[in-house]
Amino acid sequence: MNDDGRFRRSASHFTDRITADGRDGWPVEAGRYRLVVSRACPWASRSLVVRRLLGLEGALSLAVADPIQDERSWRFTLDPDGRDPVLGIRFLSEAYDARERGHPDGVSVPAVVDVPSGLLVTNDYLRITLDLETEWTALHREGAPDLYPEHLRDEMDDRMDGIFRDINNGVYEAGFAGTQEAYDEAYGKLFARLDQVSDHLAGQRYLMGDTITEADIRLFTTLVRFDAVYHGHFKCNRNKLTEDRVLWAYARDLFQTPGFGDTVDFDHIKRHYYQVHEHINPTRIVPRGPDLRGWRRPHHRDELGGRPFGDGTPPPPPPEDEVVVPL
């Protein structure tokens, strides 16, 4: 939080990349790395969707942290004995400290850890998914979609930058604002951008045209949390997602697409936001609503045409140990 009451997100401190040529010292290698996520976190949820769509479950193992953190960071209390069964640690901070004792920032997800050494490799959430899409291609499943098409990258990067600034991070700037002025500014930018995106999507099925891309994944992870937490908890309450005809149908379309809704855990999402942010919700009461059954209702977005996976195919069902309790 800045002195002016505006929330500022810190840049990722650990930005090494896992690449096909291993130029940062971390070569792509099946089974070597472990992706640590919280299903509550929108930044981590991006990596969950991308990993599913690309079929990387067998190449990049998954650790899911408890949605409730404590002062020692993300913890593995969902696992037997409270330890991650692969890394053997109780807290994600142990991998951070193994890499750099006294690192300047907090412990965040998603994070990729090198299994043999136990060292954190990266917590660069902006880059992790792009590298999964472009550097891990040798390990993609047959039929994996192209989520970051080379001919669209400049336009995509510009669109994703606006979505990040005003929507993905904008809800946090509103929710964590320390002054009325800071809140009003973030609120205005958020809904102006949502209106712009809604207009854009009124005539086409996905953000970049007729196929799903990384841009849709980044927008989806905020939209799917909007009514459950951001509308009330973060005071982003001009209207609900369900009150925007286009965005609500678009979000349902993605939710019902294999690889999206089957990674979403609303229980983790709600418990994390309402119980961890005690400065916003000191009672730590988790609201019962909203009614989530609407996520399964028909969306009719297929009337716009499009091919969700382009020349690719839908991913198979998730591994049995990664299945989320359905709505």
Side-chain angles (χ1 to χ4, degrees):
M1 181 71 67
N2 286 5
D3 292 340
D4 60 4
R6 287 173 171 79
F7 169 74
R8 294 289 185 270
R9 184 171 298 280
S10 300
S12 298
H13 180 66
F14 298 98
T15 58
D16 285 4
R17 296 175 59 190
I18 301 170
T19 58
D21 62 7
R23 56 185 176 272
D24 283 0
W26 308 104
V28 171
E29 183 179 331
R32 175 170 175 176
Y33 305 100
R34 190 153 175 84
L35 175 65
V36 182
V37 303
S38 164
R39 292 192 185 275
C41 172
W43 319 105
S45 292
R46 297 175 177 184
S47 61
L48 282 170
V49 175
V50 169
R51 176 176 171 271
R52 279 273 292 120
L53 294 180
L54 300 180
L56 290 171
E57 293 98 326
L60 178 62
S61 66
L62 181 68
V64 179
D66 191 307
I68 308 302
Q69 304 150 281
D70 65 21
E71 68 280 359
R72 294 165 292 182
S73 84
W74 296 101
R75 52 190 186 169
F76 296 108
T77 48
L78 302 180
D79 295 302
D81 301 321
R83 289 186 183 275
D84 178 79
V86 173
L87 299 173
I89 57 178
R90 293 186 180 276
F91 300 93
L92 180 55
S93 58
E94 296 175 54
Y96 274 68
D97 291 342
R99 172 69 186 273
E100 181 183 327
R101 181 68 64 174
H103 53 88
D105 297 317
V107 176
S108 63
V109 289
V112 181
V113 179
D114 178 51
V115 174
S117 67
L119 299 176
L120 177 78
V121 177
T122 177
N123 69 340
D124 189 354
Y125 62 95
L126 291 172
R127 190 71 237 179
I128 287 172
T129 52
L130 297 181
D131 281 345
L132 291 178
E133 293 156 3
T134 61
E135 298 289 338
W136 290 62
T137 53
L139 299 176
H140 289 181
R141 67 178 174 88
E142 184 177 355
D146 185 356
L147 299 174
Y148 194 45
E150 191 164 1
H151 69 286
L152 293 176
R153 288 179 188 176
D154 288 345
E155 182 184 353
M156 279 184 66
D157 288 346
D158 181 66
R159 190 176 302 282
M160 291 190 298
D161 179 66
I163 288 172
F164 168 80
R165 184 177 61 249
D166 298 332
I167 299 177
N168 300 145
N169 199 53
V171 293
Y172 284 87
E173 291 183 346
F176 291 156
T179 65
Q180 187 70 49
E181 181 182 7
Y183 165 75
D184 289 346
E185 180 181 310
Y187 178 99
K189 290 179 179 179
L190 167 66
F191 283 102
R193 182 70 66 175
L194 285 171
D195 288 344
Q196 180 189 73
V197 171
S198 181
D199 289 343
H200 177 73
L201 287 168
Q204 64 185 57
R205 192 166 178 185
Y206 304 110
L207 283 170
M208 302 306 301
D210 67 351
T211 62
I212 291 166
T213 64
E214 168 87 12
D216 297 292
I217 296 166
R218 294 187 179 197
L219 178 58
F220 171 79
T221 58
T222 295
L223 294 183
V224 79
R225 289 163 172 76
F226 201 88
D227 287 4
V229 289
Y230 300 145
H231 178 270
H233 186 58
F234 277 179
K235 306 180 185 70
C236 299
N237 60 355
R238 190 195 72 179
N239 57 267
K240 295 178 180 178
L241 176 67
T242 54
E243 295 167 346
D244 185 301
R245 180 184 60 83
V246 172
L247 290 180
W248 176 222
Y250 166 79
R252 296 201 313 279
D253 185 6
L254 290 175
F255 185 88
Q256 295 171 32
T257 299
F260 284 82
D262 54 27
T263 68
V264 176
D265 191 319
F266 282 108
D267 174 64
H268 280 208
I269 289 168
K270 290 171 62 176
R271 285 196 292 122
H272 170 76
Y273 281 91
Y274 286 104
Q275 294 189 329
V276 171
H277 301 155
E278 292 186 70
H279 61 296
I280 298 176
N281 184 39
T283 65
R284 302 181 78 230
I285 293 172
V286 180
R288 297 295 297 272
D291 186 344
L292 301 172
R293 290 174 294 181
W295 284 100
R296 291 296 183 190
R297 292 179 185 147
H299 52 75
H300 304 294
R301 291 283 293 179
D302 48 352
E303 295 173 7
L304 292 170
R307 301 174 302 142
F309 302 100
D311 294 329
T313 57
E320 185 175 345
D321 60 351
E322 295 182 17
V323 172
V324 177
V325 177
L327 297 180

